[in-house]
Amino acid sequence: MKKIIGLLIFILSLSTFQQVLAQQPDYEKYGKIAIVVVQADHPAEEVTDYEYKGRKQLTKDEVEDDFLFLVAENGKEFNVLVKIKHSLANNKLLNLTVEESK
């Protein structure tokens, strides 16, 4: 009986784990946009690292997601911060800014 209960718990935990893996974070769409923008701005340079810095709630329906990239140029590395403001109500991009720190 204990083996059956243990097996059922294991199977339920696997199905829950698979559902979590199947869900994509809602910022992933904007992360892909940020990658394209950085690669377009620096086509000859190598983007060596990428990090999602988090989300700021601006208004009830508007948020800003920040993405930090490490770009290598002529042996030197610098950061590129991409800020993407978008609407949660209609999932539309509202504003995109790129800041470089060399």
Side-chain angles (χ1 to χ4, degrees):
M1 183 68 165
K2 288 182 182 180
K3 288 183 181 181
I4 293 174
I5 293 173
L7 183 60
L8 287 174
I9 291 172
F10 177 73
I11 291 171
L12 289 174
S13 66
L14 279 180
S15 65
T16 304
F17 181 70
Q18 289 174 348
Q19 289 174 352
V20 169
L21 288 178
Q23 295 175 351
Q24 295 179 337
D26 62 344
Y27 61 83
E28 185 176 343
K29 169 185 174 180
Y30 299 103
K32 290 178 182 179
I33 292 170
I35 290 169
V36 170
V37 168
V38 171
Q39 289 175 337
D41 286 349
H42 305 284
E45 290 86 24
E46 179 184 358
V47 177
T48 59
D49 196 13
Y50 156 77
E51 180 182 359
Y52 174 63
K53 298 301 286 182
R55 174 172 286 177
K56 297 174 194 165
Q57 190 79 34
L58 303 175
T59 66
K60 178 185 171 193
D61 293 329
E62 292 180 10
V63 295
E64 178 182 88
D65 288 324
D66 295 345
F67 304 89
L68 184 65
F69 294 86
L70 185 61
V71 179
E73 177 182 21
N74 299 327
K76 295 182 181 179
E77 294 181 332
F78 60 95
N79 290 318
V80 177
L81 179 65
V82 179
K83 296 181 178 186
I84 300 179
K85 294 179 186 175
H86 59 95
S87 171
L88 295 175
N90 60 16
N91 205 22
K92 300 261 182 179
L93 185 133
L94 302 174
N95 188 19
L96 187 142
T97 59
V98 179
E99 302 172 6
E100 294 183 13
S101 60
K102 290 190 178 186

